[in-house]
């Protein structure tokens, strides 16, 4: 059961990371276009979300790594 729970967490973190990285790339592309700044409100929204993702991604990577290490330790103890 613990193994299954950890594997589910790892999978969910991987999906979250993939989703955020995709969104991050899309926002970078949008922000690289000068016409986005014609609409100040939209530019602020994109910039705000970009900063949010930049803050969240390292945190999610760290959580993913911790769960991965926990899973590896569990698997190693099962194999011993």
């Amino acid at each position: 059961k613990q193994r299954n729970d950890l594997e589910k967490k790892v999978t969910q973190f991987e999906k979250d990371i993939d989703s955020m990285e995709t969104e991050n790339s899309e926002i970078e592309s949008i922000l690289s276009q000068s016409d986005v700044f014609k609409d100040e409100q939209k530019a602020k929204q994109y910039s705000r979300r970009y900063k949010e993702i930049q803050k969240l991604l390292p945190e999610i990577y760290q959580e993913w790594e911790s769960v991965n290490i926990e899973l590896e330790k569990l698997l190693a103890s099962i194999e011993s």
Side-chain angles (χ1 to χ4, degrees):
K1 174 157 171 42
Q2 186 181 10
R3 176 183 177 176
N4 198 17
D5 289 346
L6 290 173
E7 288 173 339
K8 284 180 183 178
K9 284 183 182 181
V10 167
T11 300
Q12 186 58 53
F13 280 128
E14 289 171 348
K15 287 179 183 177
D16 292 346
I17 289 168
D18 187 54
S19 173
M20 289 185 107
E21 286 180 339
T22 300
E23 184 180 3
N24 192 56
S25 294
E26 290 169 355
I27 292 173
E28 283 177 342
S29 177
I30 291 168
L31 290 174
S32 71
Q33 301 167 13
S34 59
D35 61 329
V36 75
F37 295 99
K38 291 176 183 174
D39 184 341
E40 189 177 330
Q41 191 63 30
K42 272 193 175 181
K44 283 182 181 179
Q45 286 176 332
Y46 286 122
S47 294
R48 193 176 309 119
R49 181 62 181 152
Y50 182 77
K51 288 176 186 172
E52 197 176 290
I53 292 171
Q54 295 303 305
K55 181 181 179 284
L56 289 173
L57 260 177
E59 294 171 7
I60 293 174
Y61 270 119
Q62 190 171 18
E63 290 177 41
W64 170 79
E65 186 176 7
S66 294
V67 173
N68 241 343
I69 289 169
E70 193 176 339
L71 178 59
E72 288 173 10
K73 286 180 182 176
L74 178 66
L75 293 175
S77 72
I78 291 171
E79 292 172 4
S80 318

